[in-house]
């Protein structure tokens, strides 16, 4: 049972980390241009 | 991404951001071209394309203005219009708020479920209490955050003495949380935290779907918007020009309207000869020739040489604004429409709440203590909470709108689909709706060489006839010949040189019926007749609508002769010469007779009718105002999406009704268990997830219907 003292905080911490990552991604505009991201990988960078 | 351009040294760099809508961004090549070529221009720091919204954000020095940047974009091959600072920002913020709530509810649901499963699988005593307390600590902030959209909406409804779907949801969630807290504090066996959070999660998914559908189609429509003049070049006393925004214009000002620019206010031409394209106001395709003394209206586009215009009416006094006011008033009736989910909840909520109350009273009478009676009453509320019902409508509508987008129709929101399903009469505008609204030439007289010369001449011109000719030639697969020294004289036409021969295209020497141009190569002449063809599948579409039980009529502002011809071609009754007010009156008459009219139109003169109709569709070539007033916008030359929209809308409503039946069926099965006090949190959780999955699965069937009916 002492394992719970570690495991529950770890589970919650990982969940919170995922939540924080999602909030960061939304704030920094990762979801603003979904179709554009799909097309951008096709652009060649060589002539820059 | 791009190497920054070196600025002239010593110059204080003052940068600003300007957004442009660029509808013609279609591929990765376009993104690369814009982002690479624009920064080569002096003063442009960087350009960033948003492909989904078809927008370009340019970070540039203050020395460049909108006109310079529009020119720069046109030089690399993109038509662009400046847009005001992110008009969709408010909608966007709503969507983000809901997505955040989904994430928070999802996080809470997973962690509480983890603890709940341990309790269900036999944890007892101090462990169970600990887990319940942990659940409470997670659940309370999660419910406070993720429940806000529902609580706010329920409060709003109650304040106005109405009820909506959010009232039973809020009551259920709050009571379940309060009961669970009490149980936890008194070391009870059951806590319903996971049910409350799971309910919020599923419902928020429904909301998020609904919001995604709105923003997705709005981005598509927004990209087509913004063609009305937002500023004008005003002559200063010293003869120079100053860019003034539309709101700050005053009547009496003298403005310079460059070729290709849209007028921002009404006025009278003082100097210059040319033509304006009034398609936005009247839907008429032939450019109107204008000269000194002629009145021009806001929204008209100058297609030839520069004009000097003395403004007579600005801002709220323009003809355009008058129509906008009519549209606003006409649109009021639509906001009274009650969506199906709210209609269902008006029946559902009283039934559920009285059931819960009855259960409480019955158990009290039967001699159970007030605690047990209350637990049972709340269990009834939880098990009947309209979880699947909250998903039933948005899930079906999102899938349907996805299927419609693939077929070239953008539906603005779910309520539009519900209203489209109910229409029983269709009214069509003629020009631009039944017809293409763009002049197309008869090019059968030309051989391959002359065709390529004609394309070489016309491809760079912005005159509507030239554009129509170039489009017709390109669609025939013609390659342009190299024509040099091309010059465009306003009102006359184009001249150039091809392999030493003088070539020209312009007004015919002899007067012709309707629109025509004359192509000259050396000494040879060809006359090209233009007409505005009826969309290829107009007949089939009207037949399809007929088979759906929808009668079609033509309601046009055009002169009766051309309307009669189209009407007899298509075999439908027609009314010609209808003013916006008359169209509006006719629609109100139909509605008073109990009909639910569908209006299909494009011109701004259709705007009030589009706003007043039970449902409305506009082509993507329609005026901005009409697109905004319409419930849906179709893209391309085919009229078929109109009939398809009605078919899909009706299928969607069928699926929605099935979903409701499923959702209510589950509840009917579960209610007896709840009434007899046999619902444990485990049963509540299973019932909720299974019914939600069934509803979503059923809705996905709509995606296939898009492919069946080709």
């Amino acid at each position: 049972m002492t394992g719970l003292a570690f495991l529950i905080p770890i589970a919650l911490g990982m969940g919170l980390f995922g939540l924080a990552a999602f909030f960061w991604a939304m704030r920094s505009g990762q979801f603003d241009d979904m179709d554009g991201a799909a097309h951008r990988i096709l652009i060649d960078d060589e002539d820059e | 991404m791009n190497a920054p351009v070196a600025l002239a040294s010593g110059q204080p760099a003052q940068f600003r951001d300007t957004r442009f809508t660029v509808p013609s961004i279609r591929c990765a090549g376009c993104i690369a071209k814009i982002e690479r070529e624009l920064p080569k221009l002096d003063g442009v720091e960087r350009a960033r394309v948003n492909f989904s919204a078809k927008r370009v954000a340019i970070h540039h020095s203050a020395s460049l203005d909108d006109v310079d940047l529009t020119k720069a974009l046109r030089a690399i091959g993109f038509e662009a219009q400046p847009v005001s600072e992110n008009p969709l920002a408010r909608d966007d913020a709503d969507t983000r708020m809901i997505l955040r709530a989904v994430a928070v509810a999802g996080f809470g649901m997973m962690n509480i479920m983890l603890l709940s499963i341990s309790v269900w699988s036999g944890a007892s005593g101090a462990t169970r209490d600990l887990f319940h307390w942990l659940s409470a600590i997670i659940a309370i902030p999660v419910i406070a955050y993720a429940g806000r959209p529902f609580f706010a909406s329920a409060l709003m409804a109650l304040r106005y003495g109405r009820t909506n779907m959010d009232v039973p949801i809020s009551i259920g969630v709050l009571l379940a949380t309060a009961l669970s807290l009490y149980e936890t504090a008194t070391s009870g066996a059951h806590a319903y935290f996971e049910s409350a959070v799971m309910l919020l999660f599923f419902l928020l998914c429904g909301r998020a779907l609904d919001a995604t559908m709105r923003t997705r189609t709005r981005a598509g429509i927004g990209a087509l918007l913004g063609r009305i003049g937002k500023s004008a070049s005003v002559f200063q006393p010293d003869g120079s020009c100053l860019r003034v925004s539309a709101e700050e214009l005053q009547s009496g000002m003298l403005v310079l309207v460059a070729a290709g620019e849209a007028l921002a206010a009404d006025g009278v031409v003082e100097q210059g000869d040319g033509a304006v394209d009034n398609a936005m106001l009247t839907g008429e395709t032939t450019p109107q020739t204008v000269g000194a003394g002629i009145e021009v209206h806001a929204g008209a586009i100058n297609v030839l040489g520069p004009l000097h215009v003395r403004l007579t009416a600005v801002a709220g006094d323009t003809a355009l604004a008058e129509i906008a006011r009519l549209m606003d008033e006409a649109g009021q009736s639509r906001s009274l429409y009650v969506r199906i989910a709210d209609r269902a909840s008006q029946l559902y909520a009283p039934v559920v709440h009285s059931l819960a109350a009855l259960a409480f009273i019955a158990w009290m009478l039967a001699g159970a203590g007030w605690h047990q009676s209350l637990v049972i009453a709340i269990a009834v509320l939880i098990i009947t909470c309209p979880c699947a019902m909250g998903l039933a409508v948005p899930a079906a509508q999102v899938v349907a709108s996805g299927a419609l987008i693939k077929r070239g129709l953008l539906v603005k929101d779910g309520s539009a689909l519900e209203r489209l399903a109910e229409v029983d009469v269709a009214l069509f505008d003629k020009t631009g709706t039944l017809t293409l609204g763009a002049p197309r030439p008869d090019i059968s007289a030309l051989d391959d060489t002359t065709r390529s010369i004609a394309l070489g001449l016309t491809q760079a011109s912005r005159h509507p006839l030239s554009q129509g000719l170039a489009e017709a030639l390109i669609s025939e697969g013609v390659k342009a010949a190299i024509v040099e020294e091309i010059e465009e004289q306003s009102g006359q036409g184009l001249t150039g040189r091809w392999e030493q021969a003088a070539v020209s295209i312009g007004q015919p020497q002899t007067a012709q019926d309707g629109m025509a141009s004359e192509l000259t190569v050396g000494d040879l002449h060809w006359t090209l007749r233009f007409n505005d063809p009826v969309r290829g599948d107009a007949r089939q579409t009207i037949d399809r609508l007929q088979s759906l039980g929808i009668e079609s009529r033509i309601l046009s502002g055009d002169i009766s002769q051309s309307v009669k011809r189209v009407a007899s071609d298509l075999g439908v009754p027609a009314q010609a010469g209808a003013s916006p007010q008359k169209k509006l009156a006719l629609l109100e008459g139909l509605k008073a007779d109990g009909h639910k009219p569908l209006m299909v139109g494009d011109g701004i003169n259709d705007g009030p009718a589009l706003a007043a109709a039970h449902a409305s569709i506009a082509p993507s070539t329609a005026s901005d105002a009409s697109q905004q007033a319409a419930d849906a916008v179709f893209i391309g030359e085919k009229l078929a999406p109109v009939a398809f929209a009605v078919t899909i809308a009706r299928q969607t409503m069928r699926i929605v009704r099935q979903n409701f039946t499923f959702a209510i069926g589950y509840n009917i099965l579960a209610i007896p268990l709840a009434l007899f006090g046999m619902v444990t949190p485990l049963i509540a959780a299973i019932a909720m997830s299974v019914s939600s999955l069934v509803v979503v699965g059923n809705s996905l069937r709509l995606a296939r219907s898009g492919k069946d009916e080709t």
Side-chain angles (χ1 to χ4, degrees):
Chain A
M1 272 303 170
T2 46
L4 283 178
F6 297 101
L7 291 175
I8 290 176
I10 289 174
L12 282 177
M14 288 195 327
L16 279 174
F17 175 77
L19 193 63
F22 178 73
F23 271 49
W24 168 83
M26 285 236 320
R27 186 154 305 156
S28 68
Q30 301 290 317
F31 302 119
D32 282 357
D33 186 12
M34 307 283 266
D35 301 333
H39 280 82
R40 272 170 203 280
I41 56 162
L42 300 172
I43 301 176
D44 292 324
D45 282 331
E46 51 202 350
D47 58 335
E48 292 228 352
Chain B
M1 160 186 60
N2 284 303
V5 174
L7 287 164
S9 54
Q11 203 180 335
Q14 237 199 332
F15 288 106
R16 57 171 68 164
D17 286 301
T18 312
R19 284 161 207 277
F20 289 86
T21 168
V22 186
S24 53
I25 300 178
R26 292 217 176 79
C27 60
C30 305
I31 301 178
K33 198 167 173 192
I34 291 174
E35 291 187 349
R36 260 178 221 155
E37 296 300 321
L38 271 189
K40 289 182 186 160
L41 190 75
D42 238 1
V44 175
E45 173 80 1
R46 60 172 180 270
R48 177 82 186 171
V49 173
N50 184 326
F51 187 85
S52 320
K54 309 269 189 245
R55 270 166 210 264
V56 180
I58 300 174
H59 189 63
H60 61 94
S61 82
S63 61
L64 293 174
D65 65 8
D66 294 357
V67 179
D68 297 326
L69 293 170
T70 315
K71 252 185 221 156
L73 276 166
R74 190 178 297 158
I76 55 173
F78 296 95
E79 286 292 330
Q81 289 290 336
V83 285
S84 51
E85 194 51 46
N86 215 348
L88 301 170
R90 210 184 55 82
D91 262 6
D92 239 31
D94 282 357
T95 315
R96 275 157 189 267
M97 163 74 215
I98 290 194
L99 277 180
R100 277 198 203 103
V102 172
V104 169
F107 161 79
M109 186 182 78
M110 285 188 278
N111 284 289
I112 296 171
M113 199 49 90
L114 197 76
L115 298 166
S116 297
I117 288 173
S118 321
V119 174
W120 296 338
S121 54
S124 59
T127 321
R128 187 178 67 196
D129 283 353
L130 171 71
F131 282 4
H132 278 169
W133 275 116
L134 278 174
S135 304
I137 292 169
I138 303 168
I140 288 167
V142 164
I143 289 170
Y145 184 86
R148 272 188 304 170
F150 303 101
F151 302 153
S153 150
L155 259 183
M156 185 71 91
L158 288 178
R159 192 171 297 157
Y160 289 102
R162 286 185 287 122
T163 174
N164 60 10
M165 211 64 165
D166 294 331
V167 176
I169 291 169
S170 301
I171 293 176
V173 168
L174 289 177
L175 281 179
T177 315
L179 173 75
S180 307
L181 260 183
Y182 177 80
E183 289 285 307
T184 306
T186 56
S187 303
H190 294 314
Y192 292 87
F193 290 117
E194 74 292 309
S195 301
V197 178
M198 197 203 283
L199 181 66
L200 282 181
F201 177 73
F202 279 128
L203 290 169
L204 281 166
C205 285
R207 294 288 154 99
L209 284 177
D210 213 21
T212 322
M213 164 175 168
R214 263 203 316 269
T215 38
R216 186 172 50 178
T217 50
R218 291 238 172 105
I221 291 162
L224 305 159
L225 290 184
R227 267 171 279 161
I228 293 179
K230 295 196 170 51
S231 61
S233 302
V234 178
F235 281 107
Q236 299 299 296
D238 61 4
S240 65
C241 276
L242 186 73
R243 210 71 202 159
V244 173
S245 72
E247 301 90 68
E248 287 164 24
L249 291 173
Q250 285 169 7
S251 61
M253 283 178 165
L254 185 67
V255 300
L256 173 73
V257 186
E261 200 180 336
L263 264 86
D266 292 356
V268 175
V269 178
E270 286 218 334
Q271 205 183 320
D273 285 309
V276 293
D277 180 355
N278 266 327
M280 176 168 285
L281 267 169
T282 59
E284 198 56 61
T285 44
T286 327
Q288 180 198 355
T289 322
V290 295
I294 305 270
E295 210 178 326
V296 284
H297 292 288
I301 295 168
N302 180 10
V303 288
L304 290 173
L307 296 172
H308 293 195
V309 176
R310 178 76 65 185
L311 301 185
T312 53
V314 295
D317 303 327
T318 59
L320 202 62
E322 176 58 34
I323 293 185
R325 251 196 306 279
L326 266 181
M327 277 166 56
D328 236 28
E329 285 160 19
Q332 298 290 326
S333 67
R334 194 175 284 174
S335 59
L336 297 177
Y337 181 80
V338 184
R339 296 190 57 174
I340 185 164
D342 290 328
R343 267 182 282 162
S345 80
Q346 278 168 4
L347 297 174
Y348 186 78
V351 171
V352 168
H353 289 161
S354 39
L355 256 181
L358 275 179
F360 178 75
I361 294 166
W363 278 93
M364 282 298 273
L365 290 179
W370 71 268
H371 173 244
Q372 204 194 342
S373 307
L374 196 62
V375 168
I376 289 170
I378 291 174
V380 170
L381 275 182
I382 296 173
I383 203 83
T384 54
C385 236
C387 173
M389 282 191 133
L391 272 172
V393 183
Q397 289 177 343
V398 164
V399 178
S401 90
L404 283 171
I405 283 179
K406 284 197 196 111
R407 298 287 302 247
L409 192 105
L410 305 169
V411 184
K412 280 193 193 155
D413 58 22
S415 118
L417 269 176
E418 291 175 22
R419 283 181 280 113
L420 266 174
E422 294 176 351
V423 298
D424 55 7
V425 175
L427 298 166
F428 288 89
D429 178 46
K430 185 184 77 77
T431 316
T433 306
L434 283 177
T435 68
L436 280 174
R440 283 298 153 94
D442 175 13
I443 51 172
S444 53
L446 303 182
D447 59 25
D448 286 351
T449 326
T450 46
R451 281 182 185 195
S452 63
I453 296 170
L455 183 58
L457 256 174
T458 53
Q459 61 186 359
S461 169
R462 290 175 49 75
H463 192 282
L465 292 188
S466 300
Q467 284 181 340
L469 179 56
E471 260 168 54
L473 289 167
I474 289 167
S475 69
E476 292 278 303
V478 176
K479 291 264 183 298
I482 298 163
V483 180
E484 289 162 321
E485 296 168 20
I486 297 180
E487 272 179 51
E488 183 159 7
Q489 277 106 25
S490 93
Q492 299 304 311
L494 295 149
T495 57
R497 193 170 50 78
W498 170 75
E499 292 183 0
Q500 310 308 323
V503 293
S504 70
I505 191 160
Q507 289 196 344
Q509 312 282 330
T510 52
Q512 300 277 343
D513 288 348
M515 290 174 278
S517 289
E518 189 169 73
L519 175 69
T520 312
V521 178
D523 305 326
L524 300 168
H525 303 283
W526 290 268
T527 303
L528 302 171
R529 283 172 197 287
F530 287 82
N531 58 15
D532 185 8
V534 172
R535 288 178 196 264
D537 59 350
R539 184 74 204 234
Q540 289 99 298
T541 303
I542 284 173
D543 289 346
R544 276 283 292 283
L545 286 173
Q546 181 83 48
S547 70
L548 291 169
I550 299 170
E551 237 173 274
S552 304
R553 289 183 208 177
I554 297 178
L555 180 60
S556 174
D558 286 3
I559 41 165
S560 60
Q561 213 172 8
S562 63
V563 175
K564 243 181 220 160
R565 211 190 57 232
V566 174
S568 67
D569 278 358
L570 297 173
V572 292
Q575 180 167 5
S579 65
Q581 285 82 354
K582 216 166 159 189
K583 289 186 179 185
L584 196 57
L586 201 119
L587 272 167
E588 296 298 350
L590 276 173
K591 280 163 95 175
D593 290 346
H595 284 292
K596 298 202 161 142
L598 165 71
M599 177 77 205
V600 189
D602 70 320
I604 191 137
N605 55 357
D606 298 315
L610 287 170
H614 191 64
S616 49
I617 304 179
S620 65
T621 48
S623 67
D624 300 1
S626 305
Q627 289 188 26
Q628 227 150 17
D631 291 315
V633 171
F634 70 92
I635 296 161
E637 296 200 347
K638 289 202 165 153
L639 200 59
V642 173
F644 192 68
V646 177
T647 321
I648 283 272
R650 288 188 177 174
Q651 272 176 18
T652 309
M653 293 318 286
R654 217 166 26 242
I655 295 269
V656 164
R657 279 189 213 105
Q658 284 170 6
N659 283 349
F660 274 139
T661 318
F662 272 127
I664 292 170
Y666 263 97
N667 286 337
I668 288 174
L669 286 181
I671 285 174
L673 288 180
L675 284 178
F676 292 107
M678 287 160 69
V679 166
T680 60
L682 176 63
I683 292 178
I686 292 174
M688 225 176 262
S689 340
V690 173
S691 65
S692 300
L693 286 178
V694 168
V695 162
V696 170
N698 189 37
S699 306
L700 284 174
R701 293 194 304 140
L702 274 170
R704 267 212 320 262
S705 66
K707 288 165 201 154
D708 291 347
E709 306 212 13
T710 318

